[in-house]
Amino acid sequence: MESIQAWFRRLYDETGINLTIFYDPWDGLKYLKGIGLTLELAVLSVLLSLVVGVVGAWLQGVRFAPLRWLVYGYIQFFRNTPPLAQLYFFYFGLGALVPTTTNAFGQAEPILNNFQWAVIALSFFAGAFNVEIFRSGIEAVPHATVEAARALGYSRLKSYIHVVLPLALRICLPSLNNNLVNLVKTTAIAYAIAVPEALYVANQLWSDNLNVPEMMNVVLVTYLTLVGLFVFGVSRIERALHVPGYTPS
């Protein structure tokens, strides 16, 4: 029986469709590593953006006005500027101000590498939207529920963590789902600062093998698969946490 590698090599010989990642072990492993880095970037960015959203939504309700203004300014900055410009701002702007360390060869290296800057930039970008999403969920929690928690002796922070936030999360999950899906797709901009994720590796492969149409289609299918799996997982969570009888207005 013909192996998969032999079939794709014969496909190239007979039709010119050059999918090297399926018959060249080096190219295949390189692209798999790119997909792995894309997944790592997406997971870290999603988790950190959720933390930013939860903390930011809580700070919007504090009595100390400068903190509320700071959160408002953060939201406006990241909602009203392109994510690619933000990425360049972090990597080239703030990155130039970060102290460096010396490696084993005596060369200066920045404390944060391009992957870490990409995680930071993407997390703050999506976190700004998450703050507003969580805020809308918090405002949808009945005020009587909050008052009942305070009457039971909960502090503002504890009532937020144990009562308000769990209810708000269940209410705002559909909107949160949309924003996180957008974040997973936006991880592709890390290509611009040479993070070796799927798109960057694909660019290297089509430069070496001159198979641009094939690799562009592979990248498209890759992101469709990754985002599709993410949407499926979040949708399952959304159905499991759905508030019975609650219909968003």
Side-chain angles (χ1 to χ4, degrees), residues 68-213:
R68 298 200 306 271
W69 299 337
L70 182 64
V71 174
Y72 177 78
Y74 155 71
I75 293 171
Q76 296 307 313
F77 176 81
F78 282 93
R79 287 178 63 184
N80 298 314
T81 53
L84 183 58
Q86 296 168 18
L87 181 63
Y88 281 152
F89 166 74
F90 276 101
Y91 185 64
F92 294 109
L94 296 184
L97 304 177
V98 173
T100 59
T101 58
T102 303
N103 60 22
F105 301 99
Q107 298 173 327
E109 285 186 347
I111 295 176
L112 298 174
N113 59 32
N114 54 351
F115 175 82
Q116 292 165 335
W117 277 120
V119 171
I120 292 171
L122 290 167
S123 300
F124 277 108
F125 164 67
F129 293 90
N130 287 346
V131 171
E132 290 295 273
I133 290 171
F134 279 115
R135 180 185 62 80
S136 66
I138 290 169
E139 290 179 353
V141 175
H143 188 64
T145 303
V146 181
E147 290 181 341
R150 298 300 296 273
L152 290 173
Y154 281 87
S155 65
R156 180 179 179 274
L157 178 60
K158 287 187 176 181
S159 65
Y160 177 72
I161 294 173
H162 297 291
V163 179
V164 177
L165 186 59
L167 291 174
L169 176 63
R170 297 172 75 178
I171 293 170
C172 70
L173 199 54
S175 299
L176 190 63
N177 181 8
N178 292 334
N179 189 45
L180 296 182
V181 167
N182 184 58
L183 173 59
V184 174
K185 294 184 292 183
T186 309
T187 57
I189 68 170
Y191 161 92
I193 57 172
V195 176
E197 43 76 58
L199 181 59
Y200 185 84
V201 172
N203 178 267
Q204 291 181 320
L205 294 177
W206 75 52
S207 298
D208 294 339
N209 301 294
L210 302 178
N211 58 346
V212 177

Side-chain angles (χ1 to χ4, degrees), residues 27 41 107 137 203 214:
D27 285 359
L41 182 60
Q107 298 173 327
N203 178 267
E214 292 91 336

